[in-house]
Amino acid sequence: MSDARSLEIRPSACPHDCPSTCALEIEKRGPQEIGRIRGAEDNTYTAGVICAKVARYAERTHHPDRIMHPMKRTGPKGSGQFERISWDEAMQTVADEFQKREKEHGSETIWPYYYAGTMGLVMRDGIERLRHAKKYSGQFSTICINLAWAGWLAGAGAYRGADPREIAKSDVVVIWGTNAVHTQINVMTHATRARKERGAKIVVIDPYRNATAMAADLHLMVRPGTDGALACAVMHVLFEEDLADRSYLETHTTGYGELEEHLKTRTPEWAEEITGVSADQIREFARLVGNNPKSYFRLGYGFSRSRNGAVNMHAAMSIPAVTGAWQYEGGGALHTNGEIYHWNKNLIEGLELRDPKIRQLDQSRIGDVLLGDRQDLGDGPPVTALFIQNTNPMDVAPDLGKVHKGFAREDLFVVVHEQFMTETAKMADIILPATTFVEHDDIYQGGAHNHIMLGEKVIEPLGECRSNHDVICDLAKRLGADHRGFEMTPLEIIDETLQSSGWPDLETMREQRWENTQPEFETAHFLSGFGHPDQKFHFAPDWSKIGKDFEGMPPLPDHWDVIEKPTDEKPFRLVTAPARNFLNSSFTATSSSLKREKKPTVMLHSDDAAKIGTEKDAIVRMGNERGSLLIHVEIFDGLQRGTAIVEGIWPGKFFIENVGINLLVGSDAAKPNGGAAFHDTAVWIKAE
């Protein structure tokens, strides 16, 4: 046991892929031991509240199954047969293989592949410096944000919004496109405060009665992918019942007259047929936000999960423009505050070395890429080597049938830098042990709030674990890659990046722990102008300026019917929603999270279960043209008939046939700017 007298509390920030990016206080119990983790009470967004899975982070850091030393594969791919080797042997093997393949095929044959296992700027994005220095294939990151960001940009013209702490000052809080209880608990902190102190109403729009919907005063249970129809019907009522703020519309928007005319046929009855939400409930919601201009719309990444997600996001965010909610503290909307940090990432990413002629490969289409699809590879060479950090594509990428087949190629050399033996790590030729966030230095930005936070190393790395930065720099030297960032420590990079971006230096950040970057009210609420050249909110977006694949997109907010619709052969719409105790495939190794989530299940309405002849805990086969899998049934009437919900990206090993739910999800790129539609899948379900 640790000596309690040596206990100290160290500040940090949560590194995981969550908009809350909580400010943390971590118990350091010894040179290589952490204890409890709490939210920082004096951070005005975190406000002392963090999710249970991060509060239990010591379980993850000190887990007996963590990878602690480098290994090389000794058996067939995927067999899990590895032997321990030295760091020098591991890194030299990687360097030799990369150089051999580059000599044979050219530099683009190597694909550094990463994502959001850590959101720290140095540890996540430093891989780009190696990519640019060596002219390796680029990565077009499409798994999470693209469609939601496109829809927001179409209307607002800038990635900022109302201060999320204003939620506590709202009269109506609309939570749309996010299960905040599962994925960003701090939204609920401020929403609950608004209800307690102001009598505010919480409205949740989601395809099923999840934990956030259960906490709401009003839940609009839409069919998946029909959010745009709901938004249009709400705006129809606002115009029809004179609840639109015409003075605001005249001053701050463009195209509202055309919008009003267009919406005359988008009645609540029209939307009821599409969404499954009753016309009466649609009117109730419209009147609630129309009569309470201090309505705050918290719009999440769920919009990115549908093929019409960009159009749906734009339609939803048009509502506070019609009501003029942006004028009021506690009103308006927020999706992301991405632009308020104005980072200079030249040093972190080596941007001056970037060659625009190097091809960009779509992250979501990794299966197609590895199988040699010329739509993806263009005229370039096949990908014969992968260097993977911060992600687990064998579980989280779409169209897993193709992904698994691609990883099984005997000529594919795979390096995985990882904390646990994930499904992707099992396919590696070389495995490198990675630090957790308490074992390295980094800097973080609030995904959907307003703080920059320093997260210095709390404990020394366990075993032989090394940070992403250390591995990238070592590999760069062996490959002859030249950039001054490879010679710097993470803290040196952080200090220079802070100062070159206009923020306080490292020592100041150490003293104050975080920097509040929130713009003034007029800027955050776009009262001094939206981000478009005309400074107006655009009801009629120019999609061609957002993505190159824009043909057929509607000119005004609407229901854009390009989703995978149910058919007689595939009558169910599948949503792969986030689980409360997992975060993508993170935390799937910790016993406390596994105990709470129990096993992969598909939620079905009792009428649907009866129709296909199944019952609670029975096994059904679920599939489509991409494949099929076996899964246990959970009977749940908190969803519409014809909707199926599977929570959590469970690793394939927990499924009966050892393949995960993303086997059924397509990898086709959605308009206008690409992105996989993880919640937009038609399936059949049959009793076993």
Side-chain angles (χ1 to χ4, degrees):
M1 297 291 291
S2 301
D3 186 345
R5 292 172 298 179
S6 66
L7 181 69
E8 61 177 304
I9 305 299
R10 297 288 297 273
S12 191
C14 180
H16 287 286
D17 186 13
C18 165
S20 285
T21 319
C22 293
L24 303 178
E25 295 176 348
I26 301 175
E27 291 181 353
K28 180 178 180 180
R29 294 182 171 271
Q32 290 185 299
E33 183 184 359
I34 64 167
R36 296 177 58 194
I37 296 182
R38 297 180 291 270
E41 292 187 7
D42 51 342
N43 181 281
T44 52
Y45 185 71
T46 301
V49 178
I50 62 172
C51 67
K53 52 187 173 285
V54 171
R56 303 190 299 265
Y57 209 87
E59 179 185 9
R60 192 170 192 276
T61 297
H62 300 296
H63 198 290
D65 291 340
R66 269 191 69 183
I67 297 170
M68 289 295 185
H69 48 258
M71 293 181 282
K72 70 177 180 181
R73 179 168 62 88
T74 58
K77 286 199 172 191
S79 66
Q81 298 175 37
F82 294 91
E83 68 177 15
R84 181 174 180 172
I85 58 175
S86 69
W87 266 103
D88 184 65
E89 180 183 349
M91 296 302 291
Q92 196 56 48
T93 299
V94 175
D96 290 345
E97 285 287 344
F98 281 13
Q99 288 172 328
K100 180 179 72 174
R101 290 157 193 269
E102 180 179 354
K103 183 177 181 180
E104 181 178 356
H105 299 285
S107 64
E108 290 179 318
T109 195
I110 297 163
W111 192 17
Y113 190 93
Y114 76 106
Y115 206 47
T118 177
M119 297 295 279
L121 301 189
V122 175
M123 298 301 165
R124 182 191 65 194
D125 301 331
I127 194 172
E128 295 286 8
R129 192 183 328 119
L130 179 65
R131 185 195 312 278
H132 298 324
K134 289 296 297 177
K135 313 303 181 189
Y136 293 153
S137 281
Q139 176 176 294
F140 180 34
S141 295
T142 57
I143 277 183
C144 186
I145 66 174
N146 281 35
L147 302 179
W149 278 40
W152 181 273
L153 191 65
Y159 296 126
R160 63 178 187 271
D163 187 334
R165 295 169 296 187
E166 290 181 30
I167 291 174
K169 301 177 181 180
S170 302
D171 294 326
V172 178
V173 181
V174 181
I175 302 173
W176 197 341
T178 179
N179 182 356
V181 170
H182 284 196
T183 62
Q184 44 180 321
I185 190 64
N186 304 102
V187 169
M188 300 307 297
T189 299
H190 299 285
T192 303
R193 179 182 167 192
R195 180 158 59 189
K196 181 178 180 180
E197 297 179 0
R198 303 177 55 82
K201 300 297 184 184
I202 299 175
V203 180
V204 170
I205 301 167
D206 201 279
Y208 74 116
R209 193 169 69 244
N210 54 36
T212 308
M214 291 178 187
D217 299 289
L218 177 63
H219 174 209
L220 281 69
M221 190 187 297
V222 295
R223 293 189 179 109
T226 64
D227 309 72
L230 174 63
C232 287
V234 168
M235 291 187 286
H236 170 96
V237 175
L238 294 173
F239 281 113
E240 183 182 58
E241 299 188 5
D242 199 26
L243 296 173
D245 187 331
R246 295 187 180 277
S247 176
Y248 178 86
L249 287 166
E250 183 66 33
T251 303
H252 294 282
T253 76
T254 181
Y256 78 90
E258 185 182 3
L259 174 69
E260 183 176 8
E261 183 64 28
H262 163 72
L263 293 174
K264 286 181 178 179
T265 60
R266 272 54 175 177
T267 65
E269 288 73 20
W270 165 84
E272 180 177 350
E273 290 295 316
I274 298 169
T275 65
V277 179
S278 72
D280 287 344
Q281 198 174 44
I282 293 171
R283 287 191 172 89
E284 178 185 3
F285 174 46
R287 290 163 183 162
L288 185 64
V289 297
N291 288 308
N292 292 279
K294 295 180 72 170
S295 294
Y296 193 107
F297 286 69
R298 184 62 185 84
L299 304 174
Y301 286 101
F303 290 98
S304 279
R305 315 296 191 245
S306 185
R307 286 172 178 80
N308 56 5
V311 172
N312 291 344
M313 168 64 88
H314 176 253
M317 70 177 300
S318 293
I319 297 173
V322 172
T323 65
W326 287 104
Q327 300 167 96
Y328 307 99
E329 187 178 29
L334 176 67
H335 172 57
T336 176
N337 259 332
E339 80 167 34
I340 70 175
Y341 302 105
H342 48 75
W343 291 110
N344 177 350
K345 296 179 76 174
N346 288 345
L347 178 57
I348 292 175
E349 297 188 13
L351 294 177
E352 72 275 19
L353 301 179
R354 182 178 181 273
D355 184 346
K357 297 188 296 295
I358 296 295
R359 68 182 177 188
Q360 299 289 303
L361 300 177
D362 188 334
Q363 169 194 41
S364 295
R365 291 181 57 79
I366 182 172
D368 302 90
V369 168
L370 294 182
L371 294 180
D373 193 322
R374 279 295 153 195
Q375 172 188 333
D376 301 282
L377 297 178
D379 297 328
V383 169
T384 64
L386 286 169
F387 182 80
I388 299 176
Q389 287 184 328
N390 313 327
T391 190
N392 177 19
M394 284 282 290
D395 280 325
V396 305
D399 212 343
L400 284 182
K402 292 181 178 179
V403 176
H404 289 191
K405 186 176 180 180
F407 268 90
R409 280 173 39 203
E410 289 299 330
D411 67 322
L412 180 68
F413 180 73
V414 179
V415 186
V416 177
H417 188 201
E418 188 47 274
Q419 298 162 354
F420 290 90
M421 187 61 74
T422 64
E423 299 299 307
T424 305
K426 289 178 184 177
M427 299 301 292
D429 296 282
I430 296 291
I431 297 176
L432 306 173
T435 50
T436 64
F437 81 103
V438 295
E439 300 163 80
H440 58 236
D441 301 309
D442 218 331
I443 190 81
Y444 305 87
Q445 68 178 49
H449 57 91
N450 36 39
H451 293 100
I452 295 171
M453 288 168 286
L454 181 64
E456 289 191 271
K457 180 170 62 176
V458 176
I459 60 174
E460 292 302 314
L462 302 181
E464 295 184 52
C465 295
R466 293 185 184 178
S467 73
N468 290 0
H469 176 76
D470 289 343
V471 170
I472 291 294
C473 292
D474 185 340
L475 185 56
K477 291 176 183 177
R478 294 173 190 264
L479 293 169
D482 183 29
H483 189 277
R484 65 190 185 94
F486 297 133
E487 307 298 326
M488 299 172 70
T489 68
L491 289 177
E492 290 171 337
I493 292 175
I494 289 168
D495 190 25
E496 182 171 328
T497 298
L498 282 167
Q499 294 186 67
S500 67
S501 302
W503 300 119
D505 63 13
L506 176 62
E507 285 305 315
T508 303
M509 287 293 295
R510 279 176 171 152
E511 294 173 6
Q512 63 189 38
R513 297 167 60 192
W514 48 74
E515 172 75 6
N516 183 0
T517 67
Q518 179 61 35
E520 60 184 10
F521 181 86
E522 289 76 13
T523 300
H525 284 251
F526 297 105
L527 298 181
S528 55
F530 285 90
H532 298 293
D534 62 5
Q535 299 189 311
K536 306 284 190 179
F537 182 90
H538 286 190
F539 290 117
D542 184 352
W543 294 111
S544 69
K545 293 183 178 179
I546 298 172
K548 60 183 179 181
D549 185 17
F550 59 89
E551 292 296 332
M553 298 186 72
L556 288 164
D558 214 338
H559 172 59
W560 189 30
D561 196 12
V562 294
I563 58 179
E564 280 196 2
K565 294 182 288 294
T567 64
D568 290 341
E569 294 76 24
K570 296 180 294 184
F572 292 93
R573 291 268 293 153
L574 171 65
V575 172
T576 55
R580 186 168 191 166
N581 294 284
F582 299 156
L583 201 167
N584 302 320
S585 66
S586 297
F587 299 96
T588 56
T590 53
S591 58
S592 60
S593 290
L594 291 170
K595 182 179 180 180
R596 287 166 172 82
E597 295 299 331
K598 298 179 181 177
K599 62 187 175 186
T601 62
V602 56
M603 298 181 192
L604 296 176
H605 193 280
S606 58
D607 291 347
D608 287 332
K611 186 174 181 179
I612 64 176
T614 191
E615 58 187 12
K616 180 181 178 181
D617 289 331
I619 296 173
V620 294
R621 182 167 290 280
M622 180 165 55
N624 55 24
E625 65 277 10
R626 301 178 188 103
S628 71
L629 52 82
L630 295 173
I631 190 168
H632 289 86
V633 170
E634 179 179 348
I635 306 298
F636 181 59
D637 286 349
L639 42 71
Q640 291 197 38
R641 295 169 185 84
T643 299
I645 306 289
V646 176
E647 288 189 337
I649 303 297
W650 286 85
K653 66 182 180 181
F654 291 102
F655 283 81
I656 297 167
E657 296 173 314
N658 296 312
V659 63
I661 194 63
N662 284 346
L663 173 70
L664 308 180
V665 173
S667 61
D668 51 301
K671 296 175 183 254
N673 58 334
F678 284 90
H679 299 177
D680 188 353
T681 306
V683 297
W684 49 259
I685 303 176
K686 300 175 182 178
E688 279 289 294

